[in-house]
Amino acid sequence: MKHITLPSATIPALGLGTYRLKDQAATSMVDYALGIGYRHLDTAQMYQNEAAIGKALAQTSVPREDIFLTTKVWPDRFARGAFVPSVEESLNKLQTSYVDLLLLHWPNPSVPLEETVTELVKIQERGLARHIGVSNFNTDLIQQTLDLGAPIINNQVEYHVFLSQEKVLETIREKEMMLTAYCPIAKAKVVGHPAIQAIAAKHGKTEPQIALRWLMQQPNVAAIPSSTKKERVKAHIEIFDMELSRADMQVLSALHHPKGRMVDPDFGQVWD
Ligand SMILES: NC(=O)c1ccc[n+]([C@@H]2O[C@H](COP(=O)([O-])OP(=O)(O)OC[C@H]3O[C@@H](n4cnc5c(N)ncnc54)[C@H](OP(=O)(O)O)[C@@H]3O)[C@@H](O)[C@H]2O)c1
């Protein structure tokens, strides 16, 4: 496993995405993933699986302090009065007294950023979140959040071979933060792509493994692939026994295109 080292934290670079996993399937997958070496888990209030993940955390023999656990607050709970109780509810469901990283899931222009950030910082000061961050923020919003005095360490955004995040990456590295790549295998669109297939064949790996390895070889980048299938979750972590050459990396980096973004809801924002 590769780790990302920031001034205030060390984070396993490959984590388990849990969107779409519910109830017993979520408990069983988290338990399985911890058993094969995953130590970074990504959930969110919106995924409605915090309680199922909490069950897995309660029954695993992996010590809590060895697990890097992220959850995210949904934007309809960003106002003062709603934010803190929602996090307390998440912690109850997760059966833990803290998360390692708490993120604002999407920007919410109808609540002043200052109000939400004040609540976020309060959570960290109370020890309910070791670290704080944001998700789906553009570089302007990252700067605004930092200007409000919040020590955010992370921005979680869509990032894969078909979508360049050059500007966001430049900003987070300059601020000594990290980027967590969601949809890191482009929702399986990497499968069957000829250029990725050629590199995969050369290394004896699959296209999703190559797409993940490309992310792992970039400074300050983590990735949280997801699957409902255990054999795929296992394959996703089997990428630390290989190295992409500089030429491979360049071929993969050149695959981005203007229509590469896959997650762009109406409530989204102006991307970089
Ligand atoms: N912050 C945000 O706003 C945000 C947004 C989206 C996602 N996320 C996080 O990021 C995680 C990953 O994103 P994602 O699940 O949307 O996208 P992804 O990991 O890029 O792709 C998942 C999709 O690819 C399929 N798949 C997985 N491994 C495969 C393999 N080896 N071969 C072929 N197909 C494969 C899965 O189907 P099967 O289940 O059939 O394998 C699923 O349909 C989520 O679980 C969530 O934790 C965050």
Side-chain angles (χ1 to χ4, degrees):
M1 176 63 66
K2 177 195 164 188
H3 287 79
I4 296 169
T5 306
L6 300 180
S8 66
T10 303
I11 302 107
L14 190 82
L16 179 76
T18 65
Y19 183 52
R20 293 175 305 122
L21 290 168
K22 297 264 185 322
D23 305 320
Q24 181 50 33
T27 306
S28 162
M29 187 62 89
V30 169
D31 189 52
Y32 174 75
L34 291 172
I36 58 167
Y38 280 82
R39 292 293 180 269
H40 174 170
L41 306 172
D42 182 85
T43 181
Q45 294 173 346
M46 196 272 266
Y47 303 167
Q48 297 184 349
N49 61 14
E50 289 175 312
I53 291 173
K55 271 191 198 165
L57 292 173
Q59 73 196 26
T60 182
S61 58
V62 178
R64 173 66 187 90
E65 60 272 21
D66 290 355
I67 300 170
F68 191 89
L69 175 65
T70 300
T71 197
K72 317 182 193 82
V73 180
W74 192 244
D76 66 0
R77 293 141 199 191
F78 278 8
R80 189 179 304 116
F83 193 96
V84 171
S86 88
V87 177
E88 288 168 341
E89 188 186 330
S90 288
L91 294 175
N92 266 337
K93 289 179 175 167
L94 287 164
Q95 302 196 42
T96 183
S97 58
Y98 68 94
V99 286
D100 296 276
L101 181 62
L102 183 71
L103 303 180
L104 305 180
H105 204 147
W106 285 87
N108 180 354
S110 59
V111 181
L113 186 62
E114 187 172 4
E115 180 175 332
T116 309
V117 164
T118 302
E119 298 305 289
L120 183 65
V121 170
K122 214 187 277 175
I123 290 288
Q124 186 179 30
E125 285 171 353
R126 280 180 56 192
L128 305 185
R130 289 250 161 97
H131 305 284
I132 54 175
V134 294
S135 177
N136 298 299
F137 271 36
N138 62 19
T139 49
D140 272 357
L141 281 168
I142 293 174
Q143 190 58 56
Q144 284 179 42
T145 309
L146 289 168
D147 289 346
L148 287 165
I152 52 169
I153 66 159
N154 180 279
N155 186 26
Q156 182 178 127
V157 290
E158 178 178 345
Y159 184 36
H160 46 72
V161 288
F162 303 132
L163 179 67
S164 165
Q165 285 287 14
E166 210 177 329
K167 196 170 168 206
V168 180
L169 281 166
E170 195 183 308
T171 298
I172 62 115
R173 286 182 187 135
E174 186 189 299
K175 311 288 183 195
E176 296 188 295
M177 295 167 58
M178 65 184 273
L179 182 153
T180 303
Y182 74 67
C183 301
I185 61 166
K187 297 190 183 191
K189 293 251 175 341
V190 297
V191 177
H193 186 285
I196 309 173
Q197 222 167 24
I199 295 173
K202 202 169 65 179
H203 290 276
K205 295 284 180 188
T206 63
E207 299 95 309
Q209 288 174 314
I210 295 299
L212 293 171
R213 183 68 209 184
W214 174 77
L215 291 165
M216 293 295 101
Q217 286 185 213
Q218 300 178 41
N220 299 43
V221 174
I224 46 169
S226 86
S227 174
T228 53
K229 299 181 177 64
K230 289 186 173 149
E231 65 274 17
R232 290 178 173 173
V233 165
K234 181 163 183 286
H236 293 163
I237 204 173
E238 291 172 341
I239 55 170
F240 297 101
D241 56 353
M242 61 166 293
E243 184 82 21
L244 293 170
S245 67
R246 187 184 290 234
D248 291 337
M249 289 295 286
Q250 281 169 354
V251 168
L252 294 163
S253 297
L255 297 179
H256 71 89
H257 55 82
K259 294 212 159 92
R261 190 179 298 281
M262 307 176 78
V263 180
D264 196 8
D266 292 344
F267 58 83
Q269 45 124 342
V270 182
W271 301 107
D272 288 297

